[in-house]
Amino acid sequence: MQEQEKTNLYLVPTPIGNLEDITLRAIRVLKEVDVILAEDTRTSGKLLQHLGIEKRMHSHHLHNEHKATSHLVDRLKAGEVMALISDAGTPGISDPGFYLVRECLKHDLKIECLPGATAFVPALVKSGFSTDRFTFEGFLPLKKGRQTRLQSLAEEERTMIFYESPHRLLKTLTQFQEYFGGERMASVSREISKMFEETINGTLEELIQIFTTKAIKGEFVLVVAGATTKGNKA
């Protein structure tokens, strides 16, 4: 019987809120690897403590990813087995991971990505908009390229998904109204799988009115209905 090829790097999703949202397989992998690469070792340390896992952690975030990757690849080639986790959700989805994965593939290192928590899937399903075809846009550019991106999406017929921080939420909704029209239907989800989870649906005009007077806290997922020939409504 042929021996199964050894996995060098595991991409392990972690809970985005409720700590119970982690798979048994993810827990086993985190216990078995040699080292865990964490976006923030303080945040991940709390999760590992909750799971009863004592394991070496190394910091791996957006600011050191390029610099550290070459050294990590050398260690993986030498036989170490690592798990990459982000502060919440699936590594590589608007979080560190892409560059390391690409370099590992260049060196024929085996990678496994475990299925698990990610914020945009529950937000999309809860929105009630079409899930047959959708586009994940993540965070919009902060300055350069922002208007160009919005212009290019104005006639997008697929459901669109965005991530946004609380202090930019109103600005982004207002820009959506400008480029997509105030009658375009959208859904705003925050604090997914946490105690104060909330989803609000309405037109962009209605959502702007709601969040102008509402306390804006937490991390947000914005789901916008695609353009149609019938007034841009879902």
Side-chain angles (χ1 to χ4, degrees):
M1 184 175 179
Q2 186 176 6
E3 185 177 348
Q4 189 173 5
E5 185 182 1
K6 175 183 176 182
T7 298
N8 305 102
L9 176 67
Y10 291 92
L11 308 178
V12 181
T14 54
I16 58 176
N18 192 314
L19 294 181
E20 294 180 352
D21 294 336
I22 189 165
T23 67
L24 296 175
R25 183 182 174 204
I27 296 172
R28 176 181 61 78
V29 167
L30 292 176
K31 288 179 177 179
E32 292 178 352
V33 296
D34 298 313
V35 63
I36 296 173
L37 306 175
E39 185 178 2
D40 186 326
T41 55
R42 294 167 299 180
T43 300
S44 298
K46 295 176 183 177
L47 173 64
L48 296 183
Q49 183 178 21
H50 173 77
L51 297 173
I53 298 174
E54 295 184 5
K55 188 67 58 174
R56 283 189 300 140
M57 284 192 295
H58 288 180
S59 179
H60 187 78
H61 48 73
L62 289 173
H63 301 293
N64 74 353
E65 187 172 20
H66 284 68
K67 183 177 180 180
T69 293
S70 178
H71 177 60
L72 292 174
V73 168
D74 288 341
R75 290 173 56 182
L76 290 165
K77 290 169 68 175
E80 281 193 78
V81 179
M82 300 183 184
L84 174 65
I85 61 177
S86 65
D87 287 349
T90 301
I93 304 295
S94 295
D95 278 321
F98 164 76
Y99 187 72
L100 178 59
V101 167
R102 186 177 65 180
E103 293 304 302
C104 285
L105 292 174
K106 286 182 180 178
H107 290 84
D108 295 321
L109 293 167
K110 184 179 178 182
I111 301 167
E112 286 192 49
C113 182
L114 279 59
T118 188
F120 78 81
V121 173
L124 169 63
V125 175
K126 288 174 61 178
S127 73
F129 303 148
S130 173
T131 58
D132 292 340
R133 300 173 66 240
F134 59 89
T135 174
F136 174 69
E137 295 294 324
F139 288 97
L140 287 167
L142 295 182
K143 294 181 181 179
K144 185 178 180 180
R146 188 178 179 94
Q147 290 184 340
T148 302
R149 177 78 63 82
L150 288 168
Q151 287 173 348
S152 71
L153 292 172
E155 301 302 321
E156 174 61 65
E157 295 183 356
R158 295 171 294 180
T159 301
M160 296 172 283
I161 308 166
F162 305 85
Y163 284 166
E164 195 50 276
S165 62
H167 66 276
R168 285 196 299 268
L169 176 66
L170 269 176
K171 174 185 177 181
T172 298
L173 289 173
T174 301
Q175 289 180 320
F176 284 173
Q177 181 184 37
E178 177 184 351
Y179 286 93
F180 304 155
E183 292 302 306
R184 181 78 68 95
M185 294 297 295
S187 175
V188 177
S189 291
R190 72 180 186 97
E191 300 291 84
I192 292 173
S193 88
K194 299 179 182 178
M195 183 179 296
F196 298 106
E197 178 176 351
E198 180 180 39
T199 295
I200 301 176
N201 289 7
T203 65
L204 287 170
E205 184 177 0
E206 290 169 342
L207 291 171
I208 290 170
Q209 293 175 352
I210 290 170
F211 284 99
T212 297
T213 58
K214 184 178 178 65
I216 301 177
K217 297 179 181 180
E219 297 300 317
F220 290 83
V221 183
L222 312 181
V223 184
V224 182
T228 73
T229 58
K230 297 180 180 180
N232 290 337
K233 291 187 178 182

